[in-house]
Amino acid sequence: ESVIPAQKSSFRVVLLGDQGVGKSSISLRFLRDEFHEHNAPTIGAAYLTQTLKVGDRTVKLDLWDTAGQERFASLAPMYYRTAQGAIVVYDICCKSTFIRAKDWVKELKAQAPPGTIILLCGNKLDLATENREVMIEDALQMAKDKGLIFMEVSAKSGQGIKSTFQTIAEKVVARE
Ligand code: GDP
């Protein structure tokens, strides 16, 4: 009689980053394949869920969006202390949001459980040709220094969104 080890079937991932970088838009693109130009409507709860295929497994990804709560920095630890993954978002066209992303990574490294998968995510790639302020080399260097996964995405075009979530799910599953 073989014993099949219990596998965790759901993972918690938290979205962090400055207001306006596109956290809600990234969630909305991933969950509903929609984009709204002016303001991403609040999807409601800070907690959203989506299933993903990882190899032959179906895993549930519980996504915690801190949108609107950036001001309440003290709330953030509540989200990431129990997360297996964190997506730190910045706006490629706004350098100050990249500097803030560095702070988030520092905070995660100090406070999140060891081994939490951190993905650095530069959003608004569709605007980069004209308005890029954060060079890809700088982000790659930061990712290398801090041991992060790095992706550039556009919630508007959808570029990189699916693979961002797929990548983080695969890394989290691989850690088990
Ligand atoms: P949040 O505060 O981090 O949740 O940011 P939002 O999702 O509310 O996005 C802020 C603004 O940026 C909204 O006007 C979005 O339409 C816009 N936005 C978000 N993602 C993108 C993107 O990939 N490209 C472009 N051009 N605009 C975006």
Side-chain angles (χ1 to χ4, degrees):
E1 191 180 327
S2 68
V3 177
I4 299 161
Q7 285 179 312
K8 204 167 185 306
S9 61
S10 88
F11 301 99
R12 184 178 286 197
V13 172
V14 62
L15 272 169
L16 299 166
D18 263 3
Q19 188 154 21
V21 296
K23 299 182 298 299
S24 307
S25 300
I26 288 169
S27 303
L28 198 62
R29 173 60 78 190
F30 173 57
L31 296 164
R32 295 201 199 143
D33 205 14
E34 286 175 26
F35 178 76
H36 296 258
E37 195 65 57
H38 295 294
N39 48 347
T42 306
I43 306 181
Y47 163 85
L48 306 150
T49 188
Q50 177 72 289
T51 56
L52 283 172
K53 276 280 206 193
V54 176
D56 56 2
R57 288 175 60 187
T58 301
V59 298
K60 190 158 77 69
L61 193 147
D62 297 333
L63 187 61
W64 290 74
D65 184 356
T66 56
Q69 288 161 30
E70 295 89 347
R71 287 171 299 138
F72 308 114
S74 62
L75 266 182
M78 179 177 100
Y79 292 97
Y80 56 69
R81 274 198 196 119
T82 54
Q84 284 81 32
I87 301 176
V88 177
V89 184
Y90 66 93
D91 176 348
I92 288 171
C93 306
C94 179
K95 185 110 190 184
S96 65
T97 66
F98 182 64
I99 293 162
R100 278 287 295 147
K102 287 187 180 178
D103 293 339
W104 278 116
V105 169
K106 209 180 279 177
E107 174 139 351
L108 283 166
K109 290 278 181 187
Q111 310 262 6
T116 301
I117 307 293
I118 307 174
L119 189 147
L120 178 66
C121 178
N123 187 37
K124 310 198 187 181
L125 185 55
D126 58 290
L127 301 175
T129 315
E130 306 238 312
N131 301 308
R132 181 185 284 275
E133 285 188 8
V134 181
M135 294 302 123
I136 204 163
E137 293 77 13
D138 293 338
L140 279 168
Q141 189 63 53
M142 173 180 166
K144 191 174 168 223
D145 291 346
K146 308 280 182 191
L148 319 173
I149 309 164
F150 168 61
M151 309 275 284
E152 287 191 340
V153 307
S154 168
K156 183 170 181 177
S157 72
Q159 187 176 349
I161 300 293
K162 271 188 195 150
S163 58
T164 289
F165 288 95
Q166 190 67 37
T167 301
I168 203 158
E170 283 169 9
K171 295 279 180 187
V172 168
V173 167
R175 269 203 62 228
E176 279 192 306

